[in-house]
């Protein structure tokens, strides 16, 4: 922890980090039953940041039972929608009141610049609670007049109710820890569900701090439980637990498949937000500087650790050299450093494991003939930094073009024919996001329906709004988060038929 001393940080952040971390089960802050802990490492210097309980099956079981009791028997289960709304608004206010501390915790734990953590992660988390608070009072079914042929003498009235799905197991990744926790908790609470949340082992701290704020808001015990632990133990125990009604997962596609298989054994409902290899298409009419800035931002934001990262760029060959020269210049100019340093734009990757994975991909790309026109190596010294990297001379036979890297590595390819670029853009098992850069209205509108992706951005990339559904086509997932669509993911539909003859 000593290496953080020179960076300015709130006293409350220091106090939080210095305290013994516990997890929240049934309204009590507890250690793991086994007493095991996990080290949480600061990725900017490789030093120990905190220790959290390492939950196993026993702890997960206790948390699920607590959530079940809260769902079946507590005041929460009988609460009026307006009261749920008020509680969620209170959580949003508390997130905002503690924004700087949450941002510092996130920055230290994940590595991202504190300015981004505060301006984006924390503020979007608060907005998410506020947006979902509004839904609490707007969950509706429908009415219908039934005409049942073999019962002519009776009169029927039918209606549907949307009911909370029940106990939600939420498993979240390490790239936007607070925001992903909010994306799961806010709709679950708005619909009246109860939750067991398992944050990623690399970044458990902001979820624990958020759970404190949820308690402070007055949400009763057992409604939100947080278990910290490894994916293969705590995560797997949660995914296969017969006591949960729904799994909400964000993470890699292979882990999502494993979770989906386990969930299906119990017919547990699931929403899976998985990986991506999102294409960025630059048409020839663009302003070179603006497009280059957009392309760079699409891949290097959050050090490329974004499921929608624009990790493949296809630039029309009339402008390829000029755009890519500029992208490479931007890549080389982005200040790298610890997240708490206000001048940092590129923080470290989340862990040594992730850094090694990304460096392994860069090596594989070079071995297959790709050429780095920016980056291509780690930054020497402490911390898990990889320089923003741009690879050219790439093609679709290469691993770097086909697989999700989840780091600051862009592969660039020229094109000269729209049909060809559509085929290339869709030549991936993924379908999460894509962007088109152009002001040619006709070309844009023709392209949008041809791209197989859950979100297509035009002249922007990876921008999200709470009102817009978010999720993937193909192997990028199952179901949608945010917007009206997410309410269906946390509710069951019940049909009621009344014979009033
Ligand atoms: P990464 O490999 O980069 O850590 P994952 O998709 O595996 O990404 O991790 C996302 C989340 O899934 C984390 O909270 C992790 O602990 C959890 N997880 C990993 N493996 C499993 C598993 N087999 N079952 C349930 N959860 C898991």
């Amino acid at each position: 922890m000593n290496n953080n001393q020179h960076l300015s940080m709130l006293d409350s952040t220091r106090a939080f980090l210095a305290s013994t971390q516990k997890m929240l089960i049934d309204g009590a802050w507890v250690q793991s039953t086994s007493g095991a802990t996990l080290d949480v490492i600061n990725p900017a210097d490789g030093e120990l940041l905190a220790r959290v309980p390492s939950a196993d099956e026993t702890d997960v079981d206790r948390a699920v039972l607590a959530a079940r009791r809260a769902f079946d028997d507590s005041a929460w289960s009988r609460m009026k929608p307006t009261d749920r709304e008020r509680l969620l608004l209170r959580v949003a206010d508390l997130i905002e009141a503690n924004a700087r501390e949450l941002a510092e915790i996130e920055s230290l734990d994940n590595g991202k610049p504190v300015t981004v953590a505060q301006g984006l992660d924390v503020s979007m988390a608060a907005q998410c609670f506020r947006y979902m608070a509004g839904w609490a009072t707007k969950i509706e079914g429908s009415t219908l007049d039934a005409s049942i042929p073999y019962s002519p003498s009776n009169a029927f009235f039918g209606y549907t109710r949307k009911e909370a799905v029940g106990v939600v197991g939420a498993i979240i990744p390490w790239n936007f820890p607070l925001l992903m926790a909010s994306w799961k908790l806010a709709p679950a609470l708005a619909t009246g569900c109860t939750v067991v949340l398992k944050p990623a082992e690399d970044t458990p701290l902001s979820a624990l701090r958020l759970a404190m704020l949820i308690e402070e808001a007055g949400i009763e015990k057992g409604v939100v439980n947080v278990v910290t632990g490894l994916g293969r133990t705590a995560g797997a125990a949660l995914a296969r637990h017969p006591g949960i009604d729904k799994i909400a997962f964000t993470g890699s596609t292979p882990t999502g498949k494993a979770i989906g298989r386990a969930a299906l054994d119990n017919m547990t409902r699931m929403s899976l937000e998985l990986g991506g290899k999102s294409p960025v298409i630059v048409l020839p009419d663009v302003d070179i500087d603006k497009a280059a800035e957009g392309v760079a931002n699409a891949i290097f934001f959050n050090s490329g650790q974004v499921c929608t990262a624009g990790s493949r760029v296809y630039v029309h060959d009339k402008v390829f050299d000029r755009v890519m020269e500029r992208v490479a210049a931007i890549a080389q100019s982005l200040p790298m450093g610890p997240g708490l340093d206000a001048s940092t734009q590129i923080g470290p990757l989340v862990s040594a494991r992730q850094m090694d994975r990304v460096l392994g991909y860069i090596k594989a790309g070079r071995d297959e003939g790709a050429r780095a026109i920016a980056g291509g190596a780690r930054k020497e010294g402490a911390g898990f930094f990889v320089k923003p990297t741009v690879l050219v001379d790439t093609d679709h036979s290469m691993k770097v073009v086909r697989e999700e890297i989840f780091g600051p590595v862009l592969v660039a390819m020229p094109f000269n024919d729209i049909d060809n670029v559509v085929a290339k853009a869709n030549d991936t098992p993924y379908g999460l996001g894509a962007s088109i850069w152009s002001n040619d209205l006709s070309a844009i509108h023709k392209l949008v329906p041809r791209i197989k992706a859950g979100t297509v951005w035009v002249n922007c990339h990876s921008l999200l709004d709470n009102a817009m559904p978010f999720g993937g086509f193909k192997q990028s997932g199952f179901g949608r988060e945010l917007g009206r669509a997410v309410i269906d993911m946390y509710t069951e539909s019940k049909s009621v038929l009344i014979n009033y003859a």
Side-chain angles (χ1 to χ4, degrees):
M1 252 172 270
N2 289 342
N3 285 7
N4 301 320
Q5 299 298 329
H6 69 284
L7 294 164
S8 85
M9 175 186 333
L10 295 176
D11 289 344
S12 58
T13 307
R14 274 185 213 284
F16 173 78
L17 293 173
S19 63
T20 303
Q21 304 301 331
K22 295 182 179 166
M23 52 189 183
L24 181 63
I25 298 179
D26 205 12
W29 289 92
V30 296
Q31 299 289 2
S32 60
T33 311
S34 70
T37 58
L38 289 173
D39 288 351
V40 182
I41 302 299
N42 178 346
D45 59 17
E47 302 279 326
L48 184 71
L49 188 60
R51 283 201 177 90
V52 297
S54 182
D56 62 18
E57 193 154 13
T58 313
D59 304 299
V60 169
D61 201 42
R62 286 173 52 214
V64 172
L65 284 178
R68 172 56 57 197
R69 270 197 305 275
F71 184 74
D72 289 341
D73 305 326
S74 70
W76 175 256
S77 61
R78 295 180 292 277
M79 189 175 276
K80 287 193 176 64
T82 43
D83 294 332
R84 286 207 305 273
E85 176 187 42
R86 191 173 301 120
L87 286 171
L88 289 186
L89 291 173
R90 219 177 274 158
V91 174
D93 289 345
L94 284 167
I95 291 173
E96 278 174 352
N98 293 277
R100 180 70 195 180
E101 183 191 328
L102 285 165
E104 289 178 358
I105 291 168
E106 199 76 320
S107 173
L108 286 163
D109 200 358
N110 164 278
K112 68 180 66 199
V114 69
T115 42
V116 172
Q118 189 161 353
L120 191 146
D121 300 65
V122 177
S123 85
M124 282 185 70
Q127 272 181 29
C128 181
F129 274 94
R130 213 162 265 139
Y131 173 84
M132 293 301 165
W135 273 112
T137 55
K138 293 161 196 73
I139 298 165
E140 309 175 321
S142 57
T143 62
L144 48 113
D145 292 325
S147 39
I148 294 167
Y150 48 84
S151 196
S153 59
N154 290 322
F156 293 101
F157 173 68
Y159 69 97
T160 62
R161 290 168 48 75
K162 288 274 191 189
E163 297 182 359
V165 70
V167 177
V168 175
I171 301 177
I172 57 168
W174 43 257
N175 57 345
F176 294 91
L178 180 78
L179 189 57
M180 291 302 104
S182 306
W183 278 25
K184 310 294 187 244
L185 288 167
L189 297 176
T191 49
C193 296
T194 60
V195 185
V196 177
L197 171 71
K198 196 208 80 68
E201 45 270 57
D202 286 324
T203 56
L205 298 178
S206 58
L208 295 176
R209 190 67 188 94
L210 177 63
M212 291 175 192
L213 299 178
I214 286 172
E215 260 196 321
E216 194 180 331
I219 292 179
E220 70 177 284
K221 71 172 189 147
V223 173
V224 172
N225 305 272
V226 180
V227 290
T228 50
L230 296 172
R232 63 176 180 274
T233 50
L238 187 56
R240 67 168 177 262
H241 202 296
I244 59 167
D245 302 297
K246 176 200 160 66
I247 271 282
F249 173 73
T250 298
S252 65
T253 292
T255 300
K257 287 181 182 176
I259 287 176
R261 281 188 208 106
L264 205 60
D265 265 350
N266 299 312
M267 227 29 102
T268 305
R269 277 69 182 126
M270 62 181 111
S271 48
L272 306 172
E273 199 265 277
L274 308 177
K277 188 76 181 173
S278 299
V280 174
I281 301 172
V282 181
L283 299 185
D285 65 288
V286 289
D287 173 300
I288 301 288
D289 284 347
K290 270 198 201 153
E293 212 170 287
V295 169
N297 206 30
I299 179 65
F300 300 132
F301 168 63
N302 216 42
S303 298
Q305 302 167 121
V306 182
C307 50
T308 54
S311 49
R312 296 180 285 149
V313 66
Y314 302 91
V315 186
H316 194 278
D317 60 10
K318 272 195 195 146
V319 291
F320 182 86
D321 288 343
R322 280 182 293 153
V323 170
M324 291 319 300
E325 247 168 54
R326 186 79 201 104
V327 173
I330 296 171
Q332 279 152 344
S333 73
L334 295 170
M336 295 181 86
L340 281 198
D341 186 330
S343 63
T344 291
Q345 285 188 37
I346 299 285
L349 300 192
V350 74
S351 61
R353 181 176 75 111
Q354 191 59 14
M355 177 179 71
D356 291 343
R357 240 185 115 224
V358 172
L359 292 172
Y361 271 109
I362 295 172
K363 178 174 181 314
R366 283 203 167 110
D367 289 349
E368 289 185 298
R371 181 165 56 88
I373 57 169
R378 68 177 291 191
K379 179 166 98 76
E380 289 312 322
F384 313 133
F385 294 90
V386 174
K387 293 180 185 168
T389 297
V390 180
L391 299 177
V392 293
D393 300 342
T394 56
D395 66 56
H396 273 241
S397 69
M398 294 178 179
K399 201 169 135 103
V400 275
V401 175
R402 306 205 65 81
E403 295 181 16
E404 182 177 45
I405 299 176
F406 226 67
V409 182
L410 175 66
V411 296
M413 286 155 282
F415 74 91
N416 58 15
D417 171 68
I418 284 290
D419 289 341
N420 185 253
V421 79
V422 168
K424 289 242 167 77
N426 291 331
D427 177 23
T428 167
Y430 296 111
L432 194 56
S435 64
I436 302 167
W437 296 79
S438 172
N439 286 313
D440 180 343
L441 205 58
S442 164
I444 293 165
H445 280 294
K446 283 181 192 153
L447 256 177
V448 168
R450 300 182 70 189
I451 305 293
K452 292 187 170 50
T455 303
V456 178
W457 289 279
V458 178
N459 297 327
C460 57
H461 195 104
S462 290
L463 300 189
L464 301 172
D465 187 275
N466 283 302
M468 285 198 88
F470 177 76
F473 284 22
K474 303 197 280 183
Q475 294 197 23
S476 289
F478 226 82
R480 291 292 178 270
E481 299 199 89
L482 305 179
R484 179 188 286 263
V486 80
I487 300 304
D488 288 339
M489 299 277 124
Y490 287 84
T491 50
E492 289 275 20
S493 179
K494 179 180 282 174
S495 295
V496 183
L497 188 67
I498 298 173
N499 178 356
Y500 62 90

